[in-house]
Amino acid sequence: MSELSHVDHEGRARMVDVSAKADTARIAVAAGELHTTAEVVRLVRADGMPKADVLTTARLAGINGAKKTSELIPLCHQLALSSVNVSFDFTETTITIEAVAKTKGPTGVEMEALTAVAVAGLTLHDMIKAVDPAASLHAVRLLTKDGGKHGHWVRERELAETSRDSAVRHATDHGAHGQHSHVVDSGTAGAPHLTPTPAYGTGKSAVVLVASTGAAAGSREDTTGPVLAKWLGEQGFSVRGPLVYADADISYGLSEALAAEPALVISTGGTGASPTDGTPEATLAVLDRELPGVAESIRQRGTAKFPLAALSRGVAGLAGRTVIVNLPGSPGGVKDGIAVLTPLLEHLLAQVAGGGSHE
């Protein structure tokens, strides 16, 4: 039977001595849910609450809470956090919260991710209590963690259930103000049916990122992200997203997508010549090496059928060991991207991981 790590042999609380442990990269993902009313959800998404900037305030509070975890939880070690990302999603009567915390050190970062979710949730409650004082925070829990002696851990059953339940909600319920909605599968009447994907954090992981000011604001429906999520699931990826951001916020979206160091990030939208199209520039800022042949093959395939596809400025490359590919924000552009990537992905990811045949 396992022993509690924070209790000594005499049953007294103690801080665990981690001085002999090796420094490793640590990542933890936590989540929680604020149960409220449909009216509150509508007001938050429309930025119509009496206290404005609800999501921005809650996100900053969650990040600050993660940084102060050792002050709030008596036996936690002080950690040098390298990254904390807090994001939100919506159902009809729920605001869901997800936090990703990263560090490099001798002990895990789970409590920081959990504290970020809890503090962000409490801040949401404070911001909405004038409209719904009965709102309640539920299910603050750890979803995944990586690093250290025990390596990878995932709350498999719950993530699988979340994947089934959250499916195409994004197609009709996009996040506002650059916040994301998770799409994996749905049986919702009238919505496109998506193949269930493995729970995020299991197997090879991928993130789908959508740059669309209209979709982020809820004024238009994105049809590209769900198609990519379905295809990646069929390729055996565990898929996070689509994460939907306004064009002006795509740099932040890329940062969030890369936080858990997935094998693959595919974006759609923001690749044209419009003054607001900034996806290629945001991508180039995080790339270590470009893969120009991939981007050019996608352009050439599109141009063969639709000459205006030549205007796409999408790029592809490597950020560390993550492959990033920009696709145009159109169904045809995504179809072309899938056609080009399908025969390349397995070999490409194997090479990036240090394997793959070079013959």
Side-chain angles (χ1 to χ4, degrees):
M1 182 176 181
S2 299
E3 296 181 352
L4 296 173
S5 61
H6 286 73
V7 177
D8 65 18
H9 66 280
E10 295 181 354
R12 295 176 298 191
R14 62 161 186 169
M15 175 181 267
V16 176
D17 184 354
V18 298
S19 57
K21 293 185 177 181
D23 286 354
T24 63
R26 315 270 185 156
I27 304 173
V29 182
E33 304 164 359
L34 187 79
H35 293 188
T36 181
T37 66
E39 174 66 7
V40 165
V41 171
R42 185 188 67 79
L43 288 170
V44 169
R45 299 186 64 187
D47 201 16
M49 295 294 296
K51 296 181 180 180
D53 296 325
V54 171
L55 298 180
T56 298
T57 303
R59 181 168 62 247
L60 292 175
I63 293 170
N64 198 45
K67 292 161 64 176
K68 292 185 175 293
T69 299
S70 64
E71 299 176 31
L72 298 169
I73 311 297
L75 301 178
C76 279
H77 298 83
Q78 292 178 320
L79 295 181
L81 291 169
S82 54
S83 173
V84 180
N85 285 291
V86 178
S87 53
F88 305 94
D89 194 1
F90 301 92
T91 68
E92 184 179 358
T93 59
T94 302
I95 303 173
T96 60
I97 311 152
E98 182 179 282
V100 181
K102 298 173 64 177
T103 191
K104 185 174 182 180
T107 190
V109 73
E110 302 96 300
M111 293 309 303
E112 283 70 17
L114 288 163
T115 301
V117 170
V119 173
L122 292 172
T123 303
L124 285 174
H125 192 288
D126 180 52
M127 299 289 282
I128 70 169
K129 65 186 181 185
V131 178
D132 180 22
S136 55
L137 184 61
H138 293 259
V140 176
R141 74 275 190 195
L142 184 67
L143 298 183
T144 70
K145 65 174 182 175
D146 286 277
K149 180 175 67 175
H150 300 293
H152 181 69
W153 177 89
V154 60
R155 185 186 293 269
E156 294 182 5
R157 177 178 297 179
E158 178 169 334
L159 282 179
E161 291 173 354
T162 300
S163 295
R164 288 194 299 272
D165 293 343
S166 25
V168 223
R169 185 190 323 142
H170 167 83
T172 54
D173 195 22
H174 295 298
H177 308 295
Q179 308 309 320
H180 70 265
S181 296
H182 297 261
V183 182
V184 188
D185 178 55
S186 175
T188 305
H193 182 75
L194 301 182
T195 300
T197 61
Y200 187 71
T202 62
K204 51 187 180 180
S205 56
V207 178
V208 176
L209 185 63
V210 176
S212 171
T213 301
S219 61
R220 65 174 292 270
E221 178 180 337
D222 167 62
T223 59
T224 60
V227 170
L228 278 170
K230 176 179 182 292
W231 169 68
L232 287 167
E234 292 169 347
Q235 306 305 305
F237 285 86
S238 62
V239 184
R240 183 183 180 203
L243 312 184
V244 182
Y245 287 86
D247 289 296
D249 296 327
I250 196 60
S251 291
Y252 179 83
L254 271 169
S255 175
E256 182 181 350
L258 291 169
E261 301 178 355
L264 177 66
V265 174
I266 300 183
S267 71
T268 73
T271 63
S274 165
T276 61
D277 288 333
T279 300
E281 288 74 19
T283 304
L284 288 169
V286 300
L287 290 184
D288 301 311
R289 292 186 288 166
E290 288 191 61
L291 295 168
V294 174
E296 191 55 37
S297 294
I298 295 169
R299 258 188 298 276
Q300 288 178 358
R301 187 176 182 90
T303 304
K305 299 174 292 184
F306 183 58
L308 292 181
L311 297 177
S312 172
R313 300 182 302 111
V315 299
L318 306 176
R321 291 197 170 187
T322 298
V323 175
I324 305 178
V325 180
N326 298 158
L327 299 181
S330 66
V334 167
K335 184 178 180 180
D336 293 334
I338 288 173
V340 170
L341 291 173
T342 297
L344 298 179
L345 267 186
E346 183 176 356
H347 183 69
L348 171 59
L349 295 178
Q351 282 197 343
V352 172
S357 172
H358 293 270
E359 297 178 0

